[in-house]
Amino acid sequence: MTILKDSYGRAIRDLRVSVTDRCNFRCFYCLPHGEPPAAPKEMMLSYEEIEYASEIFVALGIEKIRLTGGEPLLRRDIETLVRKVAALPGLHDLALTTNGFTLAERARGLKDAGLNRVTISIDSLKPEVFKKMTGVDVLDRVLEGVRAAQRVGLTPVKVNAVVVRGHNEDEVADMAAFAREHDVLMRFIEFMPLDSGHEWSRADVVSGREIRATINERFPLVPVHTERGAETASRYRFADGAPGEIGIIAPVTEPFCGACSRIRLTADGQIRTCLFSKTEHSLRDRIRSNASRAEIVEYIESVVMKKEPRHYINDAAFEQPARTMSLIGG
Ligand code: SAM
Ligand code: SF4
Ligand code: SF4
């Protein structure tokens, strides 16, 4: 079987597909000043085009696809796309990352369409802090989404929290308690320079080490050893055997680029070989130019060979990419 490999020998197994660049939240670390003008609709990949691209990627060894955005549940009838992608032979895992706004109503339909699991973003368990961080006062609704996802079996449910100094670092242990109580995998993510305001500052980053230490004080942790090296999160279970799990994703202070297995496809059909790529590669143009399947395969293989060795956040000359997380597909 073919396996996509980059020029550093890393096997590419995970594809993140952004299905829309629109979002109904205004998280200050992502879209603080609102959305850029919408790209013309015809620039966006259709479901048929996403299905075709996904089928080729899976034939090239992609095992895991994550649908993301923007807010993926804003794309009309996303269940139709889920159904198409879930049916691809050879795909092991289909996940979706959402802000959870409409998840309570959509969870059942997504599960029935073939989605395996969801990741839900919740930065705070205090309604006022949640509102301050996301721009919307809807914590209860999102928590209802977590319950619905668990009820219908979109599990294991992961919950993402971006930890930012002065906003929610005092809630880290409480969120660990939430993981125990609700049996979720709670993932704490370091703030990365991918905000549209370009206001990221190193001083705002709460390090993975600090997060780990804070949780350990209240709930001693034991590392979970996973089989594959490409996992972004360091994972921990609770030493007392309580349910739930902790994941710490520390791309700034503990980069894991050497084991990166990811590639991204934006809503407008551009392949990004790294979150921090400065160049993009138009798969959309290839698909629409009626290139043969063999030509598209060759193109993808050549693009993957250009994958960056690592990010340069910690280098003096680092420059933030022009696109924000909401446009890249986090
Ligand atoms: N809208 C969906 C959501 O928020 O879950 C999916 C897209 S969002 C871009 C995917 C993930 O990226 C979210 O969990 C979000 O918290 C994270 N994210 C966005 N901007 C970030 C930043 N500057 N640093 C770290 N993580 C970020
Ligand atoms: Fe929207 Fe997700 Fe970005 Fe928040 S993190 S603004 S929910 S795309
Ligand atoms: Fe992979 Fe780029 Fe993220 Fe590093 S920064 S883990 S190379 S996507």
Side-chain angles (χ1 to χ4, degrees):
M1 164 149 188
T2 328
I3 294 180
L4 276 174
K5 277 221 164 123
D6 73 7
S7 63
Y8 302 93
R10 293 173 296 187
I12 306 305
R13 295 292 200 180
D14 304 340
L15 172 68
R16 300 192 165 210
V17 180
S18 172
V19 296
T20 177
D21 52 13
R22 313 314 292 168
C23 190
N24 49 345
F25 282 23
R26 292 291 174 266
C27 303
F28 81 93
Y29 49 74
C30 180
L31 271 180
H33 306 303
E35 296 180 290
K41 213 172 159 211
E42 61 274 14
M43 308 268 279
M44 299 294 146
L45 292 187
S46 67
Y47 284 169
E48 287 68 30
E49 288 169 330
I50 295 176
E51 182 189 12
Y52 181 48
S54 301
E55 182 266 303
I56 294 178
F57 273 109
V58 171
L60 290 173
I62 291 289
E63 296 175 335
K64 219 166 108 177
I65 294 184
R66 175 174 295 281
L67 303 177
T68 178
E71 174 46 43
L73 299 187
L74 288 185
R75 178 107 184 226
R76 186 177 307 170
D77 197 17
I78 190 73
E79 293 77 2
T80 298
L81 179 68
V82 168
R83 196 166 291 113
K84 287 174 189 290
V85 177
L88 293 176
L91 184 66
H92 296 186
D93 188 23
L94 179 60
L96 177 141
T97 306
T98 174
N99 62 30
F101 184 71
T102 55
L103 189 58
E105 309 90 88
R106 310 281 293 278
R108 165 56 60 197
L110 289 164
K111 177 71 185 175
D112 290 348
L115 189 69
N116 296 123
R117 56 197 179 86
V118 284
T119 298
I120 304 160
S121 300
I122 304 180
D123 298 320
S124 170
L125 297 169
K126 296 181 190 162
E128 68 286 1
V129 179
F130 183 95
K131 174 165 187 252
K132 202 164 161 228
M133 292 185 76
T134 62
V136 283
D137 190 6
V138 294
L139 175 61
D140 282 350
R141 228 183 131 117
V142 175
L143 291 175
E144 189 46 50
V146 174
R147 286 188 285 272
Q150 288 186 313
R151 219 169 23 241
V152 305
L154 286 170
T155 47
V157 169
K158 291 183 181 171
V159 174
N160 277 358
V162 181
V163 188
V164 187
R165 181 84 60 208
H167 288 263
N168 58 351
E169 86 261 37
D170 58 333
E171 282 192 69
V172 164
D174 289 343
M175 287 197 256
F178 178 86
R180 295 162 62 90
E181 203 177 314
H182 297 275
D183 191 11
V184 297
L185 171 47
M186 185 73 226
R187 310 198 318 160
F188 297 97
I189 307 175
E190 285 181 349
F191 181 22
M192 289 184 275
L194 290 168
D195 54 315
S196 65
H198 290 222
E199 280 146 11
W200 178 89
S201 142
R202 190 165 294 277
D204 298 334
V205 177
V206 180
S207 71
R209 175 197 285 258
E210 186 178 332
I211 294 167
R212 208 163 15 241
T214 305
I215 300 173
N216 244 320
E217 261 178 42
R218 191 149 134 206
F219 305 114
L221 297 174
V222 181
V224 174
H225 296 288
T226 45
E227 260 174 48
R228 281 203 8 226
E231 186 99 40
T232 50
S234 329
R235 290 169 62 172
Y236 303 87
R237 60 178 179 78
F238 295 105
D240 63 3
E245 217 181 281
I246 298 296
I248 295 179
I249 305 178
V252 180
T253 65
E254 299 166 31
F256 37 79
C257 302
C260 182
S261 62
R262 278 168 295 285
I263 192 160
R264 290 178 162 79
L265 183 61
T266 64
D268 57 354
Q270 309 300 305
I271 298 177
R272 289 183 67 96
T273 47
C274 173
L275 262 182
F276 295 93
S277 290
K278 286 293 177 57
T279 41
E280 299 182 337
H281 310 271
S282 186
L283 188 61
R284 183 192 65 212
D285 289 353
R286 292 295 175 301
I287 292 176
R288 293 189 184 171
S289 69
N290 290 325
S292 68
R293 194 178 195 283
E295 284 165 342
I296 293 176
V297 164
E298 202 177 306
Y299 179 68
I300 292 173
E301 286 172 342
S302 72
V303 166
V304 164
M305 288 306 276
K306 296 182 188 145
K307 183 170 164 68
E308 295 75 351
R310 63 182 178 94
H311 68 62
Y312 298 94
I313 303 174
N314 298 316
D315 294 17
F318 172 74
E319 277 176 48
Q320 193 170 328
R323 294 231 225 190
T324 71
M325 195 67 146
S326 70
L327 298 178
I328 293 169

